[in-house]
Amino acid sequence: MNKLISLKEKIFIAGGSGMVGSAIKRKLLKSGYGDINKGGIIYSPSHKELNLLNSNEVEVWFKKNKPTIVILAAAKVGGIKANNDFSADFLLENLKIQTNVIESSFKSGSKRLLFLGSSCIYPRNAIQPIKEEYLLNGYLERTNEAYAIAKIAGLKLCEHLNIQYGFDSISLMPTNLYGPGDNYHPEHSHVMAAMIRKFVEAKNYSYKKVTCWGTGNVLREFLHVDDLGNAAVFALENWDPKGTNSPKDKDGNKLFHLNVGTGEDLSIKELSKKIASIIGYEGSIAWDKTKPDGTPKKQLDINRIRSLGWEPKKELNEGILQTIEEYSSNFKKIN
């Protein structure tokens, strides 16, 4: 099967220094992209080099560099507290970043664009496991509504540019991510990173108790960021939404976004015990029920991307162990 992109592409990764962008860049390099000897290049400018919030800067950058492939991995992200506390910022900044990059990609004639969203786009009480067509079928989870609305807008902009103008833009919706390059901020990180930090500190400082947010009863699915990196490159190489064999929804309509995950979830209580066990923490685990839980369950149906030939590879225990080792080594350097 002929790939939809070649090693000669000029690839721009917006957010290339972040957790997701770095994973995609690693996979691209491993697959032979960005080799100047083969005519390829990978652009991953820092925020200082290119402010994605500034439309003029983005437009000028595109005119100068003319990337053929664009990967939009840049976003303002955070955990449940950050989403709650800075909801206007999450909505405004993500809308600006997305619009600037997508519009400049379209106007400058980029060949393909990949937009990365999040499973939080789906309704709070969606039928499980969640299929792509459940988008906009119900109310969003209040605690991350602003971020979700921004991501839905980006997804739909890509979809309608494809439908109206034939601009080859596709979207992937990953589940909760973890792995190298994650944010371990004590208040603004995602659940996996937050727990790893808490339990590593508790082990190292011999704390007798660790307190986690919420009831611990909600269910979450976790994907190693390297698996998302693999999925992103796979989709760019193999998925054309308008192709004959491309996945369709239950009514036979073209799908312009696909879920990416493992298809398996576990409770946050189970996750806490798993992390504590791997670290070797033997103290007690308490739950602060005054803190929000978020969506009760958001397990993704990944049969559509599986039908194209992609599969997640990193087993959860293995991925958590590697992530703990990475964080622990950095923890020792800092302390």
Side-chain angles (χ1 to χ4, degrees):
M1 181 178 175
N2 292 329
K3 292 179 179 177
L4 298 171
I5 61 174
S6 76
L7 298 182
K8 296 180 180 180
E9 307 292 356
K10 297 171 70 177
I11 302 173
F12 170 41
I13 307 174
S17 60
M19 177 187 181
V20 172
S22 295
I24 295 172
K25 187 174 182 179
R26 287 194 297 272
K27 177 59 179 177
L28 285 167
L29 292 170
K30 189 176 180 180
S31 301
Y33 295 95
D35 186 344
I36 56 174
N37 295 317
K38 296 176 182 176
I41 190 169
I42 296 176
Y43 300 109
S44 53
S46 66
H47 177 71
K48 287 183 179 180
E49 294 168 320
L50 176 60
N51 180 7
L52 298 176
L53 292 167
N54 186 312
S55 60
N56 289 330
E57 270 193 47
V58 175
E59 187 176 349
V60 168
W61 188 93
F62 268 84
K63 284 180 179 178
K64 177 184 176 182
N65 295 287
K66 296 180 174 58
T68 56
I69 305 298
V70 176
I71 300 167
L72 182 40
K76 181 177 178 63
V77 298
I80 196 167
K81 179 173 172 56
N83 274 276
N84 246 341
D85 292 351
F86 309 110
S87 57
D89 295 342
F90 272 80
L91 182 53
L92 186 60
E93 289 186 29
N94 282 307
L95 285 173
K96 282 183 178 180
I97 290 168
Q98 294 164 190
T99 304
N100 291 342
V101 173
I102 295 169
E103 187 174 18
S104 286
S105 301
F106 169 58
K107 286 183 175 179
S108 69
S110 296
K111 190 167 77 174
R112 295 209 91 190
L113 180 143
L114 171 63
F115 174 72
L116 291 160
S118 166
S119 61
C120 72
I121 64 166
Y122 293 111
R124 184 181 194 276
N125 297 315
I127 298 168
Q128 307 285 323
I130 304 171
K131 296 181 185 292
E132 287 85 352
E133 56 264 43
Y134 297 168
L135 179 64
L136 299 176
N137 278 357
Y139 292 105
L140 296 167
E141 161 59 34
R142 184 68 183 171
T143 55
N144 59 20
E145 179 186 70
Y147 179 73
I149 287 172
K151 286 298 180 182
I152 292 169
L155 178 160
K156 287 297 181 182
L157 177 56
C158 288
E159 178 180 328
H160 289 287
L161 282 171
N162 204 325
I163 292 169
Q164 183 177 346
Y165 294 106
F167 177 53
D168 188 0
S169 47
I170 56 175
S171 301
L172 293 180
M173 298 299 118
T175 188
N176 298 278
L177 300 169
Y178 72 100
D182 208 343
N183 168 28
Y184 293 93
H185 189 281
E187 290 189 336
H188 301 153
S189 57
H190 291 108
V191 61
M192 179 78 81
M195 282 193 172
I196 287 174
R197 175 179 176 138
K198 283 186 176 184
F199 283 104
V200 167
E201 289 183 353
K203 169 72 172 177
N204 289 344
Y205 295 134
S206 302
Y207 295 157
K208 293 181 179 180
K209 182 173 74 172
V210 169
T211 302
C212 299
W213 279 28
T215 64
N217 296 326
V218 296
L219 298 162
R220 291 291 180 270
E221 177 181 355
F222 295 94
L223 181 75
H224 194 278
V225 72
D226 284 344
D227 274 334
L228 176 59
N230 294 342
V233 176
F234 176 88
L236 283 168
E237 291 179 336
N238 299 287
W239 175 39
D240 175 7
K242 295 180 178 179
T244 306
N245 298 319
S246 182
K248 309 287 192 300
D249 69 14
K250 61 181 177 58
D251 297 318
N253 300 311
K254 296 180 181 71
L255 284 169
F256 292 89
H257 70 280
L258 294 178
N259 294 335
V260 184
T262 63
E264 300 175 358
D265 61 7
L266 76 167
S267 74
I268 297 302
K269 276 186 179 176
E270 289 176 293
L271 177 66
S272 69
K273 291 175 183 177
K274 191 181 288 288
I275 292 172
S277 175
I278 292 171
I279 290 172
Y281 175 72
E282 297 179 351
S284 63
I285 303 174
W287 296 91
D288 182 357
K289 296 177 182 178
T290 65
K291 297 293 193 296
D293 268 334
T295 304
K297 179 181 172 77
K298 50 175 183 176
Q299 179 186 6
L300 294 181
D301 184 321
I302 60 168
N303 284 326
R304 267 59 179 267
I305 195 167
R306 271 184 165 147
S307 73
L308 293 171
W310 177 86
E311 286 282 347
K313 294 179 179 177
K314 188 78 73 174
E315 193 271 329
L316 185 59
N317 283 357
E318 176 194 0
I320 291 175
L321 175 59
Q322 289 177 352
T323 307
I324 288 170
E325 288 174 345
E326 181 207 26
Y327 177 76
S328 296
S329 64
N330 290 330
F331 180 90
K332 289 172 184 175
K333 288 176 186 175
I334 294 169
N335 292 275

